[in-house]
Structure formats: structure tokens, C-alpha cells
């Protein structure tokens, strides 16, 4: 369970600005210390970032890693594993915060999976610019995509052998590309 304590937004912003060894997410006065990821988590995140960066080259969109904070509101700040924004207010600004991303990707970890599937899903679905939310399993080749379709959200699950489709940025790739060089248990496949 992440370390949790209550602080004001101003205290959080100061902590976030001055902390050199830890990142914190902020939700309605609570902070969550972000723990380090596993080898699989790191490789999957790097694979996705590399694929999206290549796909978005020469386009108005940018892919960002977990160093970029997504400011959903005055009281909610997250550090997603991968974020894409096509909004010039994000892509042309010189800062470490995003306000208008269209795509958010989280690689599931045992310590964050519940929050990613519940709290973050609800927060991202409320944000007007988020068109897709992606959950990537690090233990087996399973990618879940929530896509905005008008006022509804459509859920799709991709598994071994499937081609992943991210409509928000017109991206397609075999699921295996997300898991390149990742050792997975053959029992979990």
C-alpha cells in the first residue's frame, strides 16, 4: 500500500517541486508515494513509449513518460506511465505538467492495480479530453482499452495474437510489440 497522508495542494506542489528521489500523486488532499517498478513494468513502458514516439513522429501529438504529471483538476494530479497529448497547449508548453491529453496508459502493478482500475478509471473518464484509457498487464499479454464513444465508454480486451488498436491516435500494433524482451511465465499465457 502506498504511503498516504493528508496535505494541502500548496504543500503538495512544494513537495513535488523539491523532491528528488520520489514522485507523489495527489488526490483530494491525500498523497501517494510512487514506488519503483519491476523489470517487466520498465520494459513494457519503454516499449510502448518507443512505439508511440515513432508513430507520432512528424505529427502534432507527443508521447510522454511517467515524468510528466497529468493535472486532471485542482485536486487531482497523477503520473501515468505513458500519456499522449495532441493539444498545442500541452505540446508547445515548456513545463512538466499536462492538462489536455487524449490517451493515458497505465502498466498494472500489484500495488497500484486496484487504484488504476477504480479511482483512476473514474477520474480519467470524467476528464473531457481523455479519449482512451489503457491498462497493460505486466504478468501476461493482456491489454485492456476503454474508448470514449460519445457519452459512453467502450471496453475491449486484447490478448496474445491480437492487434491492439488505439483509435485516439490512429495506432495499431501486434500485442507482442508491447511485450518485446519481457519474460512472462508460460503458465500465465
Amino acid at each position: 500500500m502506498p504511503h498516504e497522508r493528508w496535505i494541502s495542494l500548496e504543500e503538495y506542489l512544494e513537495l513535488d517541486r523539491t523532491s528528488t528521489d520520489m514522485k507523489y500523486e495527489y488526490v483530494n488532499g491525500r498523497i501517494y508515494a510512487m514506488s519503483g517498478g519491476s523489470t517487466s513494468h520498465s520494459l513494457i513502458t519503454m516499449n510502448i513509449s518507443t512505439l508511440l514516439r515513432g508513430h507520432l513522429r512528424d505529427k502534432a501529438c507527443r508521447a510522454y513518460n511517467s515524468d510528466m504529471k497529468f493535472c486532471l483538476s485542482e485536486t487531482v494530479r497523477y503520473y501515468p506511465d505513458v500519456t499522449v497529448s495532441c493539444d498545442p497547449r500541452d505540446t508547445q508548453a515548456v513545463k512538466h505538467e499536462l492538462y489536455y491529453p487524449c490517451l493515458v496508459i497505465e502498466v498494472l502493478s500489484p500495488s497500484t492495480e486496484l487504484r488504476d482500475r477504480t479511482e483512476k478509471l473514474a477520474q480519467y473518464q470524467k476528464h473531457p479530453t481523455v479519449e482512451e484509457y489503457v491498462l497493460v498487464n505486466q504478468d501476461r499479454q493482456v491489454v485492456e482499452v476503454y474508448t470514449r464513444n460519445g457519452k459512453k465508454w467502450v471496453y475491449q480486451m486484447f490478448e496474445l495474437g491480437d492487434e491492439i488498436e488505439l483509435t485516439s491516435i490512429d495506432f495499431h500494433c501486434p500485442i507482442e510489440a508491447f511485450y518485446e524482451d519481457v519474460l512472462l511465465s508460460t503458465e500465465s499465457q
Side-chain angles (χ1 to χ4, degrees):
M1 175 103 172
H3 172 70
E4 184 179 335
R5 71 178 184 97
W6 295 86
I7 65 171
S8 70
L9 178 61
E10 293 75 23
E11 289 174 303
Y12 164 74
L13 293 173
E14 180 64 18
L15 176 66
D16 193 52
R17 186 182 65 75
T18 60
S19 180
T20 57
D21 60 343
M22 182 70 72
K23 288 189 290 191
Y24 299 90
E25 293 186 329
Y26 182 77
V27 181
N28 302 319
R30 293 176 294 166
I31 62 168
Y32 297 89
M34 304 309 296
S35 60
S38 68
T39 301
S40 295
H41 188 283
S42 179
L43 288 170
I44 292 167
T45 302
M46 287 291 295
N47 289 342
I48 295 168
S49 296
T50 301
L51 289 164
L52 295 184
R53 180 163 164 67
H55 173 71
L56 297 171
R57 186 164 291 157
D58 300 324
K59 295 183 178 150
C61 303
R62 298 287 177 268
Y64 301 94
N65 67 15
S66 62
D67 289 335
M68 289 297 282
K69 178 173 41 185
F70 179 9
C71 301
L72 281 88
S73 70
E74 283 297 316
T75 61
V76 179
R77 312 288 166 93
Y78 293 134
Y79 281 97
D81 291 314
V82 180
T83 312
V84 173
S85 181
C86 301
D87 192 300
R89 294 171 289 184
D90 281 336
T91 60
Q92 295 173 2
V94 180
K95 58 185 185 238
H96 69 283
E97 299 173 341
L98 297 172
Y99 291 86
Y100 312 101
C102 60
L103 172 63
V104 177
I105 300 173
E106 295 283 6
V107 178
L108 299 174
S109 298
S111 64
T112 64
E113 183 171 359
L114 181 61
R115 282 187 67 226
D116 291 342
R117 289 187 177 283
T118 57
E119 173 192 311
K120 289 184 179 184
L121 172 63
Q123 292 287 351
Y124 292 141
Q125 287 180 330
K126 287 191 294 189
H127 196 276
T129 67
V130 175
E131 297 173 31
E132 281 180 304
Y133 179 48
V134 180
L135 298 172
V136 182
N137 191 305
Q138 68 172 312
D139 298 322
R140 55 194 178 98
Q141 291 188 23
V142 174
V143 174
E144 300 169 83
V145 179
Y146 293 87
T147 304
R148 186 185 303 268
N149 183 0
K151 292 184 178 188
K152 296 180 181 180
W153 285 82
V154 177
Y155 171 84
Q156 282 187 284
M157 183 170 65
F158 300 93
E159 298 180 282
L160 183 63
D162 290 342
E163 181 166 288
I164 297 168
E165 178 182 10
L166 303 176
T167 59
S168 62
I169 57 170
D170 192 28
F171 174 82
H172 304 265
C173 80
I175 194 171
E176 291 81 5
F178 276 23
Y179 293 90
E180 184 178 345
D181 296 328
V182 177
L183 297 175
L184 300 171
S185 167
T186 54
E187 294 174 11
S188 64
Q189 286 299 307

